[in-house]
Amino acid sequence: SAVISQKPSRDICQRGTSLTIQCQVDSQVTMMFWYRQQPGQSLTLIATANQGSEATYESGFVIDKFPISRPNLTFSTLTVSNMSPEDSSIYLCSARNAYEQYFGPGTRLTVT
Amino acid sequence: GQNIDQPTEMTATEGAIVQINCTYQTSGFNGLFWYQQHAGEAPTFLSYNVLDGLEEKGRFSSFLSRSKGYSYLLLKELQMKDSASYLCAAGFSNDYKLSFGAGTTVTVRA
């Protein structure tokens, strides 16, 4: 199994600012993803973090708002840019090999 | 989304068995995950089914029928700590992305 850590675990940010969330996996993984989970709801995929190239975004998510980096096989960052209260959510990093997919502990973001 | 359907809530008593069903569209399907999520925590991987049949892991078992677009998670000998949300997630095509159901909240009562 893969152990995933995220930083920060939570933050309270002001409208219009940006926050970068870091994700570290303890072993090399094939795929890394970023998800969002609103309170009481299921997980929504934001994007697939591709090593050494631009991330692949899902419908409704764009690079200017959620820039993503993945410089190597074990690390990725997600930036939430120009934040608004609607961005308040839990952001989860996920890592997958062929038959297993694991999630980090999440970053709880509150935008005021 | 890929129309991943699962019941919203289920309640059972301690020591009992509960079966959580999940249906999905079969087109392009390549595998199904089950996760457990306690309130305020991240999802925890429970199982992955890619072939038809039953996979047993202790008190938890997962079943898949690819032709019917159907899976279930079976929780046996329920304990209070099993009270959680259970998420069904299906993969489609070859891109490793998962589509999640809305989750089933299981409440275990004494």
Side-chain angles (χ1 to χ4, degrees):
Chain A
S1 64
V3 177
I4 303 174
S5 59
Q6 282 184 236
K7 293 194 295 187
S9 59
R10 59 177 63 229
D11 207 341
I12 301 173
C13 301
Q14 291 194 340
R15 182 195 301 258
T17 63
S18 297
L19 176 72
T20 296
I21 303 168
Q22 298 181 6
C23 174
Q24 180 72 56
V25 188
D26 70 343
S27 58
Q28 292 187 351
V29 290
T30 306
M31 308 291 288
M32 293 183 73
F33 305 93
W34 287 97
Y35 286 82
R36 184 168 74 180
Q37 187 173 31
Q38 306 280 14
Q41 296 188 21
S42 192
L43 282 74
T44 301
L45 179 63
I46 297 171
T48 303
N50 300 310
Q51 188 211 351
S53 64
E54 192 171 287
T56 305
Y57 291 85
E58 298 301 301
S59 176
F61 298 96
V62 296
I63 186 171
D64 290 346
K65 176 67 176 177
F66 297 101
I68 288 170
S69 77
R70 188 181 174 193
N72 57 50
L73 290 174
T74 63
F75 184 79
S76 177
T77 67
L78 168 74
T79 299
V80 186
S81 303
N82 188 26
M83 287 183 282
S84 66
E86 292 70 36
D87 296 320
S88 297
S89 188
I90 298 172
Y91 292 85
L92 294 149
C93 174
S94 182
R96 178 164 180 179
N97 287 321
Y99 304 115
E100 300 174 329
Q101 183 159 341
Y102 297 91
F103 286 84
T107 296
R108 184 179 296 272
L109 172 62
T110 303
V111 184
T112 61
Chain B
Q2 300 287 350
N3 294 335
I4 315 297
D5 292 320
Q6 53 182 128
T8 304
E9 295 181 339
M10 303 183 76
T11 302
T13 55
E14 209 171 3
I17 298 173
V18 68
Q19 177 174 315
I20 306 169
N21 296 324
C22 173
T23 60
Y24 58 87
Q25 293 179 329
T26 58
S27 177
F29 172 79
N30 65 23
L32 190 128
F33 288 83
W34 283 98
Y35 290 89
Q36 179 192 62
Q37 187 175 29
H38 286 100
E41 299 182 11
T44 302
F45 170 78
L46 291 178
S47 66
Y48 176 59
N49 293 71
V50 63
L51 300 175
D52 285 355
L54 185 68
E55 299 265 349
E56 297 188 76
K57 285 186 182 180
R59 294 189 300 113
F60 293 1
S61 303
S62 56
F63 172 84
L64 179 69
S65 170
R66 295 178 67 105
S67 63
K68 296 181 180 178
Y70 168 70
S71 173
Y72 67 72
L73 180 69
L74 193 69
L75 314 180
K76 295 180 282 189
E77 301 171 18
L78 280 171
Q79 302 176 8
M80 300 299 287
K81 68 178 181 180
D82 298 329
S83 293
S85 178
Y86 291 85
L87 303 169
C88 172
F92 298 91
S93 71
N94 295 315
D95 58 14
Y96 289 103
K97 296 189 297 186
L98 294 181
S99 295
F100 279 82
T104 300
T105 300
V106 171
T107 302
V108 181
R109 294 184 173 166

